[in-house]
């Protein structure tokens, strides 16, 4: 009986250690120091209330994946953005990733932006994020390539990482008019795409490849283990992500970590999918945007604090009372244009934008 009890205790201890240190990763609480809010906005404005009403009506947990994908793309087809969208395929080292260039009149083919769309790695496309890519192209004069990286669940999580790397290495040598080396390159992305952008930056550093001249993370997911306090604290104010996160909060966190490990095929704290758990030294100039009201606010804050402590030139700008990735609501929110102007200014400061 004593031997059996000891064995059970040892097994329980081992399970606890695997969960807390292998799946969850290092405690990120040391990077919770507050960062002053950059832009205070009304609580919430009439425009933001209209967006929240739209999100409440459209972002439903019961909606099928196919319906979500169609709804996301519908926004990219519904408007005339005043620019050209040119389909292309990124080829590198035997891999091929389809996508599209966003081009405005007079766009510089040698100043390029790799834009990685959001959508929780399950929805979204180059088409769905035209409101963002068109605004970046217009404000910077750059040629913007948005890849249609492979989505879950029909593909493993690692596929999005592979496609991101392929697309980046391709645009270094290829522009909208064919093969030609890039003079300047930026990498940007929102939410899931922000995760891919920051993870790519770490990987390029470690591999000794050419780094982007700037990196932009819009409401980025940086911690796959979802340990930030804002996941719960901002649950009620983040209308967009609330339906996605609600089922997760009903499950004990340790059990959730095991479920995520099985679903992702990688431990939640692995640096490939949790860039905040990587070493954040020697990074390129990086701009992070987040709303203090969104679930992923602490993901952005922790990444910024850790990167700055490592000596990397990472800057965070935050807005109060806004939704997750408010930049995409350029036809509804004046703060979307303010944030996009800040991105263009950051790129211009570092020689990427015209």
């Amino acid at each position: 009986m004593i031997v059996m009890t000891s064995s059970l205790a040892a097994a329980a201890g081992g399970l606890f250690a695997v969960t807390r240190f292998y799946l969850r990763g290092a405690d990120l609480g040391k990077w919770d120091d507050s960062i002053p809010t950059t832009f205070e906005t009304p609580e919430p404005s009439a425009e933001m209330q209209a967006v929240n009403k739209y999100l409440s009506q459209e972002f439903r947990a019961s909606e099928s994946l196919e319906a979500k994908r169609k709804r996301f793309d519908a926004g990219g087809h519904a408007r005339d953005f005043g620019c050209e969208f040119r389909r292309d395929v990124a080829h590198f080292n035997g891999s091929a990733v389809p996508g599209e260039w966003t081009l405005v009149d007079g766009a510089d083919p040698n100043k390029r932006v790799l834009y990685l769309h959001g959508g929780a790695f399950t929805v979204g496309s180059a088409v769905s994020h035209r409101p963002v890519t068109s605004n970046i192209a217009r404000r910077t004069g750059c040629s913007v390539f948005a890849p249609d990286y492979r989505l879950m669940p029909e593909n493993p999580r690692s596929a999005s990482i592979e496609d991101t790397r392929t697309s980046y290495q391709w645009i270094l040598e290829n522009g909208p008019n064919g093969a030609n080396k890039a003079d300047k390159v930026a990498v940007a992305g929102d939410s899931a795409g922000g995760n891919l952008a920051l993870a790519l930056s770490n990987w390029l550093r470690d591999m000794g490849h050419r780094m982007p001249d700037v990196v932009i993370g819009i409401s980025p997911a940086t911690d796959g283990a979802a340990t930030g306090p804002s996941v719960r604290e901002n649950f009620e104010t983040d209308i967009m992500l609330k339906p996605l996160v609600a089922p997760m909060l009903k499950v004990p966190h340790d059990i959730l970590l095991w479920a995520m490990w099985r679903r992702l095929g990688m431990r939640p704290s692995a640096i490939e999918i949790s860039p905040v758990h990587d070493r954040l030294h020697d990074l390129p100039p990086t701009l992070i945007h987040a709303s203090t009201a969104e679930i992923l606010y602490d993901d952005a804050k922790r990444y910024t604090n850790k990167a700055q402590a490592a000596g990397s030139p990472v800057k965070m700008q935050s807005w109060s009372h806004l939704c997750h990735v408010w930049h995409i609501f350029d036809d509804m929110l004046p703060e979307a244009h303010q944030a996009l102007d800040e991105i263009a200014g950051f790129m211009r400061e570092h020689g990427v934008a015209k």
Side-chain angles (χ1 to χ4, degrees):
M1 183 67 176
I2 295 176
V3 173
M4 184 178 295
T5 302
S6 298
S7 298
L8 289 173
L15 188 64
F16 176 84
V18 169
T19 303
R20 290 300 172 93
F21 301 107
Y22 184 68
L23 301 184
R24 180 189 178 103
D27 183 8
L28 298 172
K30 65 185 294 185
W31 309 115
D32 279 340
D33 289 349
S34 63
I35 297 176
T37 303
T38 317
F39 299 98
E40 293 286 354
T41 55
E43 181 188 354
S45 66
E47 293 88 352
M48 189 63 244
Q49 290 181 49
V51 170
N52 280 336
K53 181 178 180 181
Y54 163 80
L55 293 173
S56 297
Q57 294 171 342
E58 297 295 329
F59 282 69
R60 302 183 304 275
S62 60
E63 189 178 24
S64 70
L65 183 60
E66 181 181 3
K68 288 179 183 178
R69 290 178 176 176
K70 288 182 178 179
R71 176 169 53 77
F72 264 63
D73 282 0
H77 289 301
R79 295 163 52 190
D80 179 3
F81 294 94
C83 53
E84 177 188 358
F85 298 108
R86 184 185 303 173
R87 296 299 296 179
D88 209 338
V89 180
H91 291 277
F92 185 81
N93 205 23
S95 296
V97 184
E100 72 177 23
W101 290 99
T102 301
L103 305 169
V104 297
D105 289 342
D108 189 335
N110 298 324
K111 289 185 176 180
R112 300 167 196 161
V113 179
L114 176 66
Y115 191 84
L116 304 164
H117 70 79
F121 304 103
T122 60
V123 300
S125 67
V127 172
S128 69
H129 280 64
R130 285 175 176 175
V132 182
T133 57
S134 62
N135 271 294
I136 291 176
R138 187 172 298 108
R139 284 170 163 82
T140 65
C142 294
S143 301
V144 182
F145 182 74
D148 287 319
Y149 58 82
R150 287 169 288 171
L151 300 174
M152 296 172 61
E154 59 266 47
N155 299 288
R157 174 69 169 81
S158 59
S160 60
I161 300 170
E162 295 165 4
D163 290 352
T164 295
R165 295 172 180 177
T166 292
S167 300
Y168 177 79
Q169 292 174 98
W170 177 75
I171 69 164
L172 290 178
E173 305 292 334
N174 298 272
N177 301 323
N180 190 32
K181 287 185 179 294
D183 293 333
K184 296 287 184 179
V185 177
V187 174
D190 66 275
S191 195
N195 171 281
L196 292 170
L198 299 178
L200 175 67
S201 183
N202 290 335
W203 180 78
L204 292 170
R205 175 204 59 209
D206 292 343
M207 295 298 293
H209 294 323
R210 173 180 169 179
M211 298 287 279
D213 295 283
V214 296
V215 175
I216 312 293
I218 300 171
S219 298
T222 70
D223 176 20
T227 63
S230 61
V231 173
R232 290 185 178 276
E233 292 173 356
N234 289 347
F235 177 74
E236 294 296 338
T237 57
D238 193 333
I239 308 302
M240 186 186 295
L241 294 187
K242 185 176 180 179
L244 177 68
V245 173
M248 298 168 53
L249 296 184
K250 296 178 182 178
V251 180
H253 194 255
D254 287 354
I255 295 176
L256 178 65
L257 292 175
W258 284 86
M260 293 169 69
W261 188 17
R262 180 176 181 179
R263 180 170 184 259
L264 298 174
M266 290 180 269
R267 59 191 176 93
S269 62
I271 60 174
E272 293 84 359
I273 60 175
S274 290
V276 72
H277 281 289
D278 205 345
R279 299 168 299 145
L280 301 182
H281 65 289
D282 297 329
L283 297 176
T286 301
L287 177 64
I288 305 293
H289 278 183
S291 165
T292 61
E294 67 171 302
I295 282 170
L296 294 180
Y297 175 70
D298 284 337
D299 279 43
K301 182 178 67 173
R302 288 175 165 184
Y303 181 91
T304 300
N305 283 332
K306 184 176 180 181
Q308 290 178 348
S312 290
V314 175
K315 174 183 179 182
M316 178 172 167
Q317 293 178 319
S318 59
W319 281 253
S320 58
H321 308 300
L322 296 182
C323 62
H324 179 63
V325 193
W326 66 96
H327 308 60
I328 204 166
F329 296 103
D330 64 314
D331 58 343
M332 299 178 74
L333 294 174
E335 292 87 358
H337 292 276
Q338 182 186 39
L340 290 160
D341 286 342
E342 291 292 331
I343 289 172
F346 186 79
M347 291 173 60
R348 193 170 297 112
E349 176 186 346
H350 295 284
V352 181
K354 279 186 171 183

